[in-house]
Amino acid sequence: MSENILEIKNLSVEFCTFDGVVKAINGMSFDVPRGKTVGLVGETGAGKTTTALSVMGLVQSPPGVITEGEILFDGEDLLKAGEAKLRKYRGDKISMIFQNPMTSLNPVYTVGRQIANVIMQHQNVNKAEAEKRAGDMLEVVGIPRERTANYPHEFSGGMRQRVCIAMGLACNPSLLIADEPTTALDVTIQAQILNLMKGLKDQYDTSIIFITHALGVVAEIADYVVVAYAGSVIEKGDIKSIFTNPLHPYTRGLFGCLPDIESVESKRLQIIPGAMPDPMNLPPGCKFCKRCGEAMDICRVKEPEEIRVDREHMVKCHKYQGGGKDE
Ligand code: SF4
């Protein structure tokens, strides 16, 4: 048995639009070790959600098309699995939680019925047993089981997200993908949801991909960090390597945007100038080149390759490839 529950290898996804081809994912590769949480970080347009939808088999085609790559789940390539098998996996072995719980929950059914439906779809249990388990799951996420009879609008935002987590974990999946699950919540509720997810990960031994644009959230929950930019991974490693020794100029820029609450001096936050390149017109060399203060001539023409810094730490940048010499 592989030490990784999920291996994404060289994944590329395009969307054909009237204006041209949008290259949303460009050779994305990373692994999710069993029982660990991987924080997938990057700004809007980095390809985080498209990667998650590819794993779930939910890239809408047309206009989306997966042009290259493999997504190995427990050794099986999901891109070669048929729709029937993917449907069986979704909600059972792989679950996803979205940013806005109100769009994931059906407003006309009670939350108990919605969780019970997920259980009945994947497990051979009768309605009474599924409803009992739905109540059990609500209790697991800290909601009294009597509330199975309530509708989504009768819950607060934080409680709705707890309901979605209960639904996501109802069939004890091996992999949970959480797409910015705390972004729409206020800070105290965010902390409660993160604590809840950490506890549940240990209790159920679930592997998690936690998608976020916030490094502070990653520090709270992740064992490994994958930094995505313009549809590919530009740096990845264990949490300690990335937080103590970030190497890629973009990753260092992300840290520069964070306020330092321990500093006594008042300092202006650094910003990363410019914006992500147009996915319909990607530059030939390093995709970060136009925003990078350390760019060299080679960066404009040649895409950097993966450099393994140590066993757990990888960076894609010419600075570490040719000893930092300009060509
Ligand atoms: Fe900057 Fe060049 Fe490294 Fe890209 S490859 S991040 S442009 S130094």
Side-chain angles (χ1 to χ4, degrees):
M1 190 164 68
S2 160
E3 66 181 272
N4 300 318
I5 185 78
L6 187 79
E7 295 178 2
I8 298 179
K9 294 177 190 277
N10 202 26
L11 180 71
S12 294
V13 183
E14 295 178 355
F15 291 90
C16 299
T17 70
F18 288 118
D19 295 325
V21 176
V22 175
K23 297 196 168 196
I25 309 279
N26 304 291
M28 181 86 78
S29 298
F30 67 91
D31 301 332
V32 181
R34 285 177 200 277
K36 302 289 181 192
T37 299
V38 171
L40 179 54
V41 193
E43 60 195 287
T44 305
K48 308 182 299 291
T49 297
T50 307
T51 303
L53 294 176
S54 304
V55 175
M56 297 294 289
L58 292 175
V59 172
Q60 201 184 346
S61 175
V65 49
I66 296 177
T67 54
E68 211 182 340
E70 290 179 330
I71 299 176
L72 302 178
F73 175 74
D74 239 343
E76 180 180 7
D77 189 355
L78 296 180
L79 299 183
K80 293 193 179 124
E83 181 52 35
K85 191 158 210 180
L86 283 178
R87 206 174 303 128
K88 193 167 162 356
Y89 276 12
R90 280 195 291 266
D92 185 15
K93 291 177 183 289
I94 309 174
S95 277
M96 188 159 172
I97 305 169
F98 296 89
Q99 181 176 337
N100 185 350
M102 211 47 191
T103 55
S104 325
L105 295 170
N106 190 326
V108 299
Y109 292 121
T110 64
V111 299
R113 180 165 171 188
Q114 294 184 57
I115 300 171
N117 279 348
V118 173
I119 295 168
M120 279 195 290
Q121 212 156 38
H122 296 287
Q123 297 185 350
N124 193 16
V125 293
N126 61 29
K127 194 170 169 221
E129 174 62 20
E131 282 172 352
K132 181 190 162 294
R133 288 199 203 170
D136 296 344
M137 284 314 298
L138 275 194
E139 284 187 338
V140 165
V141 297
I143 298 175
R145 64 188 311 123
E146 302 77 58
R147 300 214 55 187
T148 46
N150 289 135
Y151 290 88
H153 73 270
E154 296 176 280
F155 292 85
S156 66
M159 281 179 112
R160 273 184 226 129
Q161 197 55 290
R162 283 171 188 262
V163 171
C164 289
I165 293 171
M167 198 157 20
L169 293 174
C171 295
N172 195 8
S174 314
L175 177 67
L176 179 69
I177 303 175
D179 188 0
E180 309 243 13
T182 57
T183 306
L185 306 173
D186 69 49
V187 186
T188 19
I189 309 294
Q190 259 188 28
Q192 286 174 12
I193 297 287
L194 289 178
N195 275 337
L196 173 70
M197 289 190 69
K198 270 195 284 191
L200 292 174
K201 182 197 88 170
D202 294 338
Q203 190 179 338
Y204 290 90
D205 202 26
T206 312
S207 314
I208 299 177
I209 300 178
F210 197 101
I211 296 174
T212 180
H213 58 270
L215 279 171
V217 170
V218 170
E220 283 291 316
I221 198 159
D223 302 295
Y224 295 90
V225 184
V226 171
V227 184
Y229 188 82
S232 64
V233 174
I234 47 104
E235 186 163 5
K236 61 188 171 189
D238 60 291
I239 185 98
K240 189 165 172 233
S241 302
I242 300 293
F243 274 71
T244 58
N245 185 28
L247 296 174
H248 196 283
Y250 178 67
T251 316
R252 293 209 305 265
L254 290 179
F255 280 104
C257 301
L258 293 179
D260 181 359
I261 55 167
E262 283 172 8
S263 170
V264 283
E265 296 167 42
S266 61
K267 280 192 289 188
R268 274 190 179 278
L269 294 181
Q270 309 276 312
I271 56 157
I272 304 173
M276 192 103 66
D278 178 358
M280 275 199 268
N281 191 17
L282 290 170
C286 171
K287 308 289 175 273
F288 187 60
C289 194
K290 281 206 169 144
R291 305 171 78 185
C292 181
E294 302 169 58
M296 303 170 284
D297 287 346
I298 190 174
C299 307
R300 283 175 259 283
V301 290
K302 188 167 180 245
E303 181 145 17
E305 288 165 14
E306 285 194 3
I307 303 286
R308 193 157 288 284
V309 185
D310 60 41
R311 194 172 161 267
E312 303 279 17
H313 195 175
M314 180 290 287
V315 64
K316 240 186 196 179
C317 172
H318 284 302
K319 274 182 65 187
Y320 307 95
Q321 219 143 18
K325 291 198 183 82
D326 215 339
E327 287 196 356

